[in-house]
Structure formats: structure tokens, C-alpha cells
Amino acid sequence: MIIIVVASNVLVQYPINPWLTWGALTYPVSFLVSDLLNRRFGPLTARKVALWGFIAALIVSAWLATPRIAIASGLAFLIAQLADIHVFDRLRDGKWWQAPFIGGIAGAAVDTFVFFCIAFVGTDMPWHTLMLGDFAIKILLNTFMLAPFRALMWNLARPKDK
């Protein structure tokens, strides 16, 4: 989780084009990790991992990214992960794809809004278009992450009590 967040913090500073940064391609993997933990160990463990990931990534990111990016990323990550974990837990007994898909969308929306507002408002970065592109890619990647989630769900993430 730490590697994913730190890499994304660095990569978000490098636009691919006017509506997308490299960080948008790496960050959605954090929701896959969180959802697998939630499925296997439950929401409490997933929250603990998110909290430790937040602390460690914030410290490491402060060295590798600007302080503003580190703070924006840390807050966005923590709030988004907690939103994803909550939504996932509420939907966990539905169809196998509902919890990771809807939780991922909720997390992506929160993460994108919080991050871009803190990181880039008041700068010359074209943050409005980057925010829209980032969110669109996160939704697309969230959809593609359903396949690895399904593949790993019953191997690595089988609930303990079943």
C-alpha cells in the first residue's frame, strides 16, 4: 500500500497530457488492495492498514514530493480509503462485483476531489481538467480491477469465517 501511494504521489506531479497525470494510472491499485483486505479480514483490519498506509506514505511522500502534494495525498488517501471500506462493507453480501465497484467509485470520487482541491487550487496547474481526467481514468481502472479482484477473492481474500 505504501509503495502504491508514494509512487502515485510522485507520478501525479507529471502530466501525461492536459487532462491526465501518471499518478492516475497507479493509484487505483490501492482500492484493490483495500478491498481484498476488507473481504478477507473485515473492515477493522482494512481501516488499520489504511491508517498505517496513510502515516507511512505521508512521511515518505514528504521527502519525495512537495509538502503540499504529500498533505493533499495523505488526506485524500485516508478519507477515500475509509469511504471505500465503509461502502464495501455495506455491500459485501451482494453480488461479488457490487462492493468493489461501487466502493471504488465512492473512494475515487472522494480521493480525486480532496486531492486536487488541496494540491493544485491556486497554482498554474490545469487542475480542473486534470481532476476530470483523473476521475475518468480511476473509474475505468476500477472497472478493470474487478477481474483481478474476482480472481484473488477466493484464493487470497476468502473470508476467515467461511
Side-chain angles (χ1 to χ4, degrees):
M1 186 69 85
I2 295 166
I3 292 168
I4 295 164
V5 176
V6 171
S8 298
N9 288 354
V10 173
L11 294 171
V12 76
Q13 299 174 86
Y14 300 100
I16 296 171
N17 56 39
W19 54 272
L20 186 63
T21 69
W22 287 104
L25 302 177
T26 56
Y27 185 72
V29 176
S30 69
F31 291 109
L32 173 65
V33 171
S34 182
D35 291 347
L36 289 169
L37 286 169
N38 197 344
R39 174 66 69 190
R40 172 70 170 94
F41 298 106
L44 182 61
T45 298
R47 283 187 204 103
K48 287 179 184 178
V49 170
L51 181 60
W52 283 108
F54 161 74
I55 293 167
L58 188 62
I59 292 167
V60 173
S61 294
W63 284 311
L64 299 176
T66 66
R68 187 171 176 173
I69 296 289
I71 291 167
S73 175
L75 288 175
F77 169 79
L78 184 60
I79 296 167
Q81 289 295 319
L82 293 176
D84 175 55
I85 291 165
H86 177 76
V87 171
F88 184 99
D89 190 50
R90 294 285 183 182
L91 300 174
R92 74 182 316 122
D93 293 327
K95 294 183 181 352
W96 72 266
W97 58 269
Q98 287 177 329
F101 183 70
I102 297 170
I105 289 173
V110 169
D111 177 74
T112 302
F113 181 78
V114 171
F115 176 78
F116 279 92
C117 287
I118 294 172
F120 297 124
V121 169
T123 70
D124 61 354
M125 186 74 94
W127 68 274
H128 291 97
T129 55
L130 288 172
M131 184 170 69
L132 292 173
D134 186 87
F135 184 63
I137 291 298
K138 285 177 183 170
I139 297 303
L140 181 65
L141 291 174
N142 183 55
T143 303
F144 285 119
M145 291 288 171
L146 291 174
F149 177 82
R150 178 68 171 162
L152 295 169
M153 185 171 81
W154 295 114
N155 295 316
L156 299 176
R158 181 171 295 159
K160 284 191 328 184
D161 59 318
K162 295 192 180 187

